[in-house]
């Protein structure tokens, strides 16, 4: 039985709806169709009750209203245009209960049936604009005040038994209260859904921002729009580059090449997160990491040393799978630098200075499978790690520099 009712409701909800209609139009039509079914059923029952009790005019008003609403409902199903049907439903809800109130002699003798007129602005609020709904509300309030003023002058036949008037009063108040409650509950549910979707989108935006920027920088940007640039006296930079990338890429399918880089850099990302380091960027097969920014830390060189050793271990484990065709050069340097955010679109957190440039040279002038560091980094790590002195190396723009290979932990 519940499935039968569900199928019936699903069928009725599609009446007057075109396949090309937007979700908003579909919702309006569903509300209008539902209101027609409820109002036509209720009005028919009221019409029969009043007719059997001798209130022919009041009963006839309800029957005529049902006939008019049905005619325009059929037109809605035929044309799939709800403007006329919407206007008719608003008008019937507003005028018919008011007219019956006047015919029966006022609020008391009509069991306050005029309360049903309040559904006119409610229905307008659900299927029209707020301004239009306000107009129907003003019309309802005006009719309510007019009815209150003229009530002493309204004739009544007193054909309805007192007990029936009381029962109808309970029904009128009860049903309209339930309908208004259901409408409010629907809108509250929609509000909660909207808030949940908004929170989800905000979380997605925050996650996307955190993928682009450090958390501290992202929080600052969300609070105020300003240029972010900081000087760090002590930080370290690591560059890692895939050796022989061009020949290797020529031998592999494009998809396989991208999958390989994604696999490697995803592992690098995990290791960067393990040591709470800041990934700056990847360019092609080059991977760049900073330690000591955007939050200063005393162990910046040590953190990058641990990362470099783990990277090397991972790459060595990959060589078996790749038939020794893959290797990395890694370079590290330590010293002062500037860090900040540049750009308005696709902005990124970046670092600048000689420290960064020399770290890049340590990688580009390094050897496959080796972790080359400057004297500055060596001095910070020599008590905890094993090194092999490479000697003096000619660095473009800097002349000769002494460099070291990081071999392992002491």
């Amino acid at each position: 039985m519940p499935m039968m009712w569900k199928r019936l409701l699903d069928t009725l909800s599609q009446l007057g709806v075109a396949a090309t209609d937007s979700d908003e139009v579909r919702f309006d039509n569903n509300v209008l169709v539902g209101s027609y079914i409820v109002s036509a059923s209720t009005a028919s029952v009221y019409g029969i009750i009043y007719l059997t009790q001798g209130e022919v005019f009041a009963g006839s008003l309800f029957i005529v209203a049902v006939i008019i609403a049905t005619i325009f409902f059929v037109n809605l199903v035929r044309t799939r245009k709800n403007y006329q049907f919407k206007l008719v439903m608003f008008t019937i809800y507003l005028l018919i209960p008011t007219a019956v109130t006047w015919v029966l002699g006022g609020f008391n003798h009509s069991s306050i049936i005029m309360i049903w007129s309040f559904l006119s602005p409610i229905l307008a609020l659900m299927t029209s604009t707020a301004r239009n709904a306000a107009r129907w509300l003003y019309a309802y309030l005006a009719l309510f005040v007019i009815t209150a003023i003229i009530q002493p002058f309204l004739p009544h036949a007193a054909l309805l038994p007192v007990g029936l008037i009381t029962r109808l009063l309970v029904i009128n108040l009860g049903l309209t209260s339930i309908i208004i409650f259901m409408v409010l509950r629907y809108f509250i549910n929609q509000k909660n859904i909207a808030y949940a979707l908004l929170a989800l989108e905000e979380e997605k935006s925050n996650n996307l921002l955190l993928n682009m920027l450090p958390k501290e920088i992202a929080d600052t940007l969300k609070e105020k729009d300003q240029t972010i640039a900081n000087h760090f006296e002590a930080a370290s930079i690591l560059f890692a580059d895939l050796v022989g990338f061009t020949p290797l890429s020529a031998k592999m399918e494009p998809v396989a090449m991208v999958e390989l880089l994604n696999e490697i850099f995803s592992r690098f990302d995990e290791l960067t997160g393990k040591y709470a380091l800041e990934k700056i960027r990847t360019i092609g097969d080059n991977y760049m990491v900073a330690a000591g920014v955007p939050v200063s830390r005393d162990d910046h060189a040590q953190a990058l040393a641990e990362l470099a050793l783990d990277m090397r271990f991972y790459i060595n484990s990959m060589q078996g799978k790749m038939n020794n065709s893959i290797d990395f050069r890694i370079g590290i340097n330590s010293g002062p630098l500037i860090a900040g955010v540049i750009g308005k679109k696709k902005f990124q957190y970046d670092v600048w200075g000689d420290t960064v440039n020399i770290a890049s040279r340590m990688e580009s002038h390094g050897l496959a499978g080796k972790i080359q560091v400057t004297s500055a980094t060596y001095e910070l790590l020599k008590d905890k790690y094993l090194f092999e002195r490479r000697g003096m190396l000619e660095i473009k723009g800097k002349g000769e520099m002494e460099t070291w290979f990081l071999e392992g932990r002491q």
Side-chain angles (χ1 to χ4, degrees):
M1 185 65 72
M3 290 300 297
M4 181 185 71
W5 281 108
K6 184 178 184 303
R7 285 195 295 270
L8 177 60
L9 291 175
D10 289 341
T11 301
L12 293 174
S13 67
Q14 297 303 315
L15 295 177
V17 177
T20 57
D21 285 341
S22 64
D23 290 339
E24 182 178 1
V25 172
R26 287 175 177 271
F27 170 78
D28 289 352
N29 279 16
N30 290 345
V31 171
L32 291 170
V33 170
S35 66
Y36 164 75
I37 294 172
V38 173
S39 61
S41 304
T42 306
S44 298
V45 172
Y46 272 80
I48 293 172
I49 291 175
Y50 287 132
L51 289 173
T52 56
Q53 294 297 321
E55 293 287 0
V56 178
F57 192 18
S60 299
L61 285 173
F62 278 116
I63 299 302
V64 170
V66 172
I67 294 173
I68 293 174
T70 301
I71 291 173
F72 280 90
F73 175 71
V74 172
N75 185 64
L76 167 68
V77 175
R78 183 177 61 85
T79 64
R80 301 185 186 278
K81 296 180 180 179
N82 64 24
Y83 176 75
Q84 291 181 337
F85 182 64
K86 186 185 296 186
L87 183 61
V88 168
M89 292 301 295
F90 294 171
T91 305
I92 287 176
Y93 269 120
L94 183 67
L95 296 183
I96 295 301
T98 302
V100 172
T101 299
W102 292 0
V103 169
L104 294 180
F107 295 121
N108 295 333
H109 297 287
S110 67
S111 306
I112 315 184
I113 199 169
M114 192 177 174
I115 191 68
W116 285 95
S117 294
F118 184 59
L119 296 183
S120 176
I122 292 292
L123 186 62
L125 185 63
M126 295 182 69
T127 61
S128 185
T129 64
R131 178 177 295 183
N132 191 40
R135 296 192 186 102
W136 289 97
L137 176 62
Y138 298 149
Y140 164 75
L141 293 175
L143 288 175
F144 197 89
V145 171
I146 292 171
T147 303
I149 294 173
I150 68 174
Q151 181 172 246
F153 309 102
L154 293 174
H156 60 90
L159 298 177
L160 298 178
V162 175
L164 178 59
I165 292 176
T166 302
R167 288 193 292 274
L168 290 177
L169 172 65
V170 173
I171 293 173
N172 290 333
L173 293 178
L175 286 180
T176 53
S177 298
I178 291 172
I179 292 173
I180 293 172
F181 174 81
M182 296 298 291
V183 170
L184 290 175
R185 190 178 73 167
Y186 170 79
F187 280 110
I188 290 173
N189 286 340
Q190 291 300 109
K191 179 200 71 172
N192 293 336
I193 291 173
Y195 280 149
L197 291 175
L198 184 62
L200 181 61
E201 291 303 316
E202 184 177 4
E203 182 181 1
K204 288 180 180 178
S205 298
N206 288 336
N207 290 337
L208 181 61
L209 195 60
L210 291 175
N211 281 335
M212 299 169 60
L213 301 172
K215 183 179 184 304
E216 296 79 8
I217 302 301
D219 291 341
T220 301
L221 281 179
K222 285 190 291 184
E223 291 177 3
K224 51 187 175 181
D225 185 14
Q226 66 176 46
T227 301
I228 297 179
N230 302 106
H231 174 80
F232 294 89
E233 191 60 37
S236 293
I237 301 295
L238 176 147
F239 283 90
D241 191 77
L242 184 63
V243 177
F245 175 75
T246 302
L248 182 63
S249 61
K251 299 176 183 178
M252 299 181 66
E253 292 292 330
V255 173
M257 187 71 251
V258 173
E259 288 178 347
L260 173 62
L261 283 178
N262 182 62
E263 181 180 354
I264 294 172
F265 285 170
S266 294
R267 178 55 181 161
F268 284 3
D269 287 345
E270 293 174 2
L271 295 174
T272 300
K274 174 183 176 181
Y275 295 110
L277 300 168
E278 192 59 44
K279 174 184 175 182
I280 301 300
R281 61 175 175 266
T282 58
I283 300 179
D285 60 326
N286 189 278
Y287 192 91
M288 179 181 178
V289 184
V293 297
V295 179
S296 298
R297 55 191 290 182
D298 294 334
D299 65 339
H300 53 88
Q302 180 177 343
L304 281 189
E306 293 293 329
L307 173 66
L309 292 172
D310 283 358
M311 283 178 164
R312 187 176 66 181
F313 178 81
Y314 170 70
I315 293 301
N316 288 340
S317 68
M318 288 282 291
Q319 286 180 342
K321 186 168 67 173
M322 297 298 299
N323 297 320
N324 297 317
S325 61
I326 183 171
D327 213 338
F328 264 81
R329 292 189 306 265
I330 299 176
I332 304 175
N333 184 34
S334 304
L337 53 80
I338 295 173
V341 177
I342 56 173
K344 290 294 183 182
K345 294 182 178 180
K346 296 184 178 179
F347 47 77
Q348 67 178 49
Y349 187 71
D350 209 343
V351 289
W352 303 271
D354 275 350
T355 299
V356 179
N357 296 332
I358 294 173
S360 177
R361 298 289 188 272
M362 288 299 100
E363 175 274 310
S364 61
H365 290 65
L367 300 178
K370 292 292 187 177
I371 304 168
Q372 183 166 245
V373 306
T374 61
S375 293
T377 303
Y378 167 76
E379 291 297 329
L380 294 172
L381 299 175
K382 63 182 181 180
D383 294 332
K384 295 182 179 180
Y385 294 87
L386 300 175
F387 289 91
E388 176 188 345
R389 184 177 182 275
R390 184 180 185 185
M392 304 303 292
L393 191 66
E394 183 69 26
I395 301 297
K396 182 180 179 181
K398 291 297 178 181
E400 288 192 341
M401 297 185 67
E402 188 172 25
T403 64
W404 303 77
F405 288 134
L406 172 63
E407 296 295 333
R409 304 171 182 88
Q410 286 192 8

